[in-house]
Amino acid sequence: MFDLLGIPPQVLFSQLLLGLINGAFYAMLSLGLAVIFGLLNIVNFAHGALYMMGAFGAWMLLNYLGIGYWWALLLSPLMVGLFGVLIERLLLRWLYDLDHLYGMILTFGLALVITGLFRNFYGATGMPYTLPPLLTGGHNLGFMFLPNSRAFVIASSLIVCLSTWFVIERTRLGSYLRAATENPALTEAFGINVSLLVTMTYGFGVALAGFAGVLAAPIYSVNPTMGSDLIIVVFAVVVIGGMGSILGSIITGFSLGIVEGLTKVFWPEASATVIFVIMAIVLMAKPAGLFGRSS
Amino acid sequence: MPTHSSVPVAAPFRKLGMPRYHLMIMLGLAAVLSVAPFLLYPILMIKILCFALFACSVNLLLGYAGLLSFGHAAYFGMSSYVAAHAAKVWGLSPELAILCGVGIAVLLGCIFGALAIRRQGIYFAMVTLAFAQMVYFFALQAPFTGGEDGIQKVPRGALFGLIPLADDKTLYWFVLVVFFACLLALYRIIHSPFGQVLKAIRDNEARAVSLGYRVNQYKFIAFVLSAALAGVAGGTKAIVFQLATLTDVYWTMSGEVVLMTLIGGMYTFFGPIVGAALVVLMQNYLASVGDWVTVIQGLVFVACVLLFREGIVGFIASKLKRPL
């Protein structure tokens, strides 16, 4: 086998894989943020906390009700989505006429409440979530070993992201959504229930976070702060990509994950900060973000 | 709404541009703070003063330039680290150590400020938060910060090499002087032509641009001033508590200080001081309930945004029909 700059290919590829997995989470979370921001003009600070709720949802289903991973993939996002509907109807609804900053501050408070509650009941240490038997083991691809669980995360994240893109850009429902994003008053005049659309959009965006959480449960340990640091990186991803484009969010998410993975190979100390450095460079070169429309 | 130019001004304070009722509040504040250490635990009072300065620094941006910084922990925390390092390792006297801290805060403020002002609104908030997280990771990895342990047992030293600060009361007077010096400087900045332009930018940026103001220069200067003030607060805190830790650079700290500003009233001058006092007292008296403090803080956030956006001082100001 070949060596790349003195780095064995196994190391390189396994870090690339890890990067791709991180990228899958960045993509799903920034996609949800972008969809929510497009219609509600709210930066959902609670996104990380809701991602954590998704993971906990899966853990609770397994440990309290004996419901396994596959059903959790469906049920947990659904519960998180319903919780999101409640948040939108009870809290966010009152903020639409105000400065966008209030939405961010309110969801920040929500994130504190949710994280704090889970920490009170489950402590700060992580809890393991056992893999379903179907996902244990893996395949030897010749140049590297590919565990099934990781391949599954990447594949399902890609499927979910691309179907979201398809629904928004290519279907009638998506056209309503895009119309409402562009001009809610006019869309309402055409007889479309924008208020319901807003609620559903928030619920869906949040369910995406919940889905990401379930995917994360067997890979990372389930703990109350798992979303807190992640959400800040996702914010940087969103600034780099710009929130104007659905496909842009997906591409930016995955590529930044890969860049982070590569940095881990070549300069491990910088891997935690590389995304923020890229953000600084993008701010200098193209302030609106790579896929953003300049305001 | 009466502007301060229409209010009779006490002659010696005309230069400060301070209307009489603001002067009364300042004097009242000075009187209360002079008596407070005899009634309350001085260290608690010092903590309030440090966080009041910190909250004022955030409010300079949020209340007067309309820029929500979610990353002020970076300037507070790094200043705290550098001041602690300067006092402990370099053996500098406390005022020089704090100045070193302010220096690093200004430096960071220049770099991050120049980049962050390229975006507006919520993007600005996200960018500042992301940069602060970068500083957090730096603090986590850099050898001089002591990682998880932080820098402990920082000597309080002697002010100007002459006045030992080991006694809590002496220390309190020192912090009180720093606090009032910063407060008056901030008052002057906000009520200067520079401050008026900032408010104009806050209210309508496009109009300020069309009037020929270089909006970005004003925002940049406001950002650096705000970072410097956060640096004063952080450096002083490190000397007082003889400690600099990761808590000071973490994003929860950035959120906490926004909460202080919000509770007190973010478009008011005195609001952040009240907000800081309330949050610090709340943390102090709720320390026994552990993680519930986070939950309560979060609920206060939500409640403030939904029901009480003008904040305590903002509410009083609207009742009195005077800017406070």
Side-chain angles (χ1 to χ4, degrees):
Chain A
M1 284 298 281
F2 57 93
D3 261 24
L4 209 79
L5 299 171
I7 288 166
Q10 279 82 2
V11 174
L12 183 68
F13 284 116
S14 66
Q15 283 301 338
L16 260 183
L17 182 69
L18 285 180
L20 212 53
I21 286 179
N22 276 338
F25 290 117
Y26 297 158
M28 279 184 285
L29 291 175
S30 65
L31 179 64
L33 278 183
V35 173
I36 292 173
F37 181 75
L39 196 57
L40 283 79
N41 273 325
I42 279 178
V43 175
N44 188 28
F45 216 123
H47 223 63
L50 293 161
Y51 157 86
M52 177 270 289
M53 275 181 81
F56 260 97
W59 185 87
M60 287 172 183
L61 285 172
L62 184 69
N63 287 281
Y64 298 155
L65 301 173
I67 296 174
Y69 185 69
W70 306 106
W71 277 105
L73 272 178
L74 182 72
L75 290 177
S76 187
L78 210 63
M79 293 191 299
V80 175
L82 281 176
F83 185 63
V85 167
L86 276 182
I87 294 176
E88 199 279 335
R89 284 276 152 159
L90 294 177
L91 304 172
L92 299 180
R93 181 120 300 206
W94 311 101
L95 302 179
Y96 296 140
D97 296 333
L98 301 171
D99 195 318
H100 305 338
L101 295 178
Y102 285 112
M104 189 167 180
I105 298 178
L106 184 127
T107 47
F108 177 80
L110 269 181
L112 287 186
V113 173
I114 298 170
T115 316
L117 282 177
F118 275 88
R119 240 202 351 234
N120 273 314
F121 290 116
Y122 295 96
T125 47
M127 284 175 292
Y129 183 91
T130 37
L131 270 175
L134 204 60
L135 290 184
T136 49
H139 298 283
N140 198 339
L141 301 182
F143 54 91
M144 66 173 292
F145 180 76
L146 178 67
N148 286 342
S149 59
R150 313 217 148 169
F152 177 73
V153 168
I154 296 171
S156 46
S157 150
L158 263 178
I159 292 169
V160 164
C161 285
L162 291 176
S163 355
T164 307
W165 170 81
F166 182 80
V167 168
I168 292 178
E169 298 289 338
R170 292 286 180 272
T171 65
R172 179 163 287 257
L173 181 67
S175 72
Y176 293 162
L177 184 76
R178 278 177 289 135
T181 303
E182 206 70 43
N183 190 336
L186 202 60
T187 314
E188 197 135 63
F190 278 103
I192 289 158
N193 189 345
V194 172
S195 159
L196 182 69
L197 202 60
V198 165
T199 309
M200 287 300 139
T201 304
Y202 188 78
F204 172 74
V206 158
L208 264 182
F211 183 76
V214 183
L215 286 182
I219 300 187
Y220 310 124
S221 75
V222 179
N223 77 76
T225 49
M226 63 192 284
S228 311
D229 287 339
L230 183 66
I231 188 65
I232 301 177
V233 181
V234 173
F235 280 164
V237 172
V238 160
V239 172
I240 293 170
M243 285 198 280
S245 140
I246 299 293
L247 213 51
S249 308
I250 303 172
I251 295 171
T252 318
F254 274 102
S255 12
L256 285 174
I258 293 172
V259 170
E260 203 182 34
L262 284 179
T263 318
K264 224 166 244 165
V265 181
F266 293 107
W267 190 15
E269 294 81 13
S271 64
T273 44
V274 65
I275 290 187
F276 302 119
V277 175
I278 294 175
M279 182 185 82
I281 296 168
V282 168
L283 279 174
M284 281 191 278
K286 199 166 178 297
L290 297 178
F291 297 89
R293 286 171 288 188
S294 52
S295 49
Chain B
M1 201 177 278
T3 60
H4 34 267
S5 56
S6 64
V7 180
V9 175
F13 286 90
R14 197 165 284 145
K15 282 266 164 56
L16 268 172
M18 197 181 278
R20 182 171 283 160
Y21 66 98
H22 277 185
L23 185 64
M24 303 295 265
I25 295 172
M26 285 279 194
L27 291 175
L29 196 62
V32 169
L33 289 175
S34 306
V35 181
F38 298 104
L39 305 172
L40 284 162
Y41 187 45
I43 291 292
L44 179 66
M45 287 307 299
I46 295 177
K47 191 171 181 192
I48 291 178
L49 291 182
C50 287
F51 278 95
L53 271 187
F54 189 20
C56 283
S57 82
V58 169
N59 194 40
L60 173 63
L61 277 182
L62 178 57
Y64 294 94
L67 297 168
L68 171 61
S69 165
F70 242 115
H72 254 51
Y75 319 109
F76 182 80
M78 270 324 274
S79 166
S80 150
Y81 272 124
V82 169
H85 186 77
K88 190 177 178 183
V89 181
W90 299 339
L92 293 183
S93 56
E95 76 286 349
L96 291 177
I98 293 173
L99 274 181
C100 289
V102 176
I104 194 76
V106 167
L107 185 70
L108 286 177
C110 284
I111 301 169
F112 296 159
L115 290 166
I117 56 167
R118 295 171 75 90
R119 298 301 308 258
Q120 278 116 19
I122 42 114
Y123 280 101
F124 179 88
M126 287 196 279
V127 169
T128 48
L129 178 63
F131 280 134
Q133 188 73 351
M134 188 168 139
V135 171
Y136 168 77
F137 281 123
F138 171 77
L140 192 63
Q141 291 175 346
F144 89 96
T145 58
E148 301 277 350
D149 298 334
I151 305 178
Q152 298 175 355
K153 297 196 181 118
V154 178
R156 282 183 183 169
L159 192 61
F160 307 115
L162 298 170
I163 313 162
L165 292 179
D167 176 52
D168 286 352
K169 286 249 171 60
T170 321
L171 191 66
Y172 178 81
W173 299 118
F174 164 63
V175 177
L176 192 62
V177 170
V178 171
F179 173 76
F180 264 102
C182 289
L183 203 62
L184 290 175
L186 190 64
Y187 191 91
R188 196 67 209 95
I189 291 168
I190 286 171
H191 295 85
S192 68
F194 169 78
Q196 298 297 330
V197 177
L198 274 189
K199 280 181 240 173
I201 295 170
R202 175 194 74 192
D203 292 337
N204 190 335
E205 186 167 344
R207 186 165 58 199
V209 172
S210 76
L211 287 172
Y213 288 109
R214 296 189 178 175
V215 169
N216 275 352
Q217 286 183 4
Y218 281 91
K219 284 187 188 172
F220 176 71
I221 294 171
F223 197 99
V224 175
L225 284 173
S226 170
L229 198 56
V232 175
T236 313
K237 199 232 74 172
I239 300 293
V240 171
F241 293 96
Q242 308 181 283
L243 184 70
T245 62
L246 284 172
T247 325
D248 303 332
V249 268
Y250 201 45
W251 56 266
T252 44
M253 183 62 82
S254 302
E256 232 162 67
V257 74
V258 171
L259 178 64
M260 293 172 185
T261 313
L262 188 71
I263 292 183
M266 58 190 196
Y267 296 119
T268 64
F269 182 78
F270 297 102
I273 303 171
V274 176
L278 280 178
V279 172
V280 170
L281 287 175
M282 184 181 93
Q283 286 171 343
N284 192 53
Y285 290 113
L286 293 180
S288 54
V289 296
D291 278 338
W292 286 106
V293 176
T294 322
V295 180
I296 295 169
Q297 265 184 7
L299 288 174
V300 174
F301 253 115
V302 173
C304 272
V305 171
L306 285 177
L307 307 168
F308 201 55
R309 279 183 291 275
E310 52 192 347
I312 294 167
V313 175
F315 176 74
I316 298 172
S318 71
K319 284 281 169 247
L320 294 177
K321 297 196 170 63
R322 291 193 166 174
L324 289 178

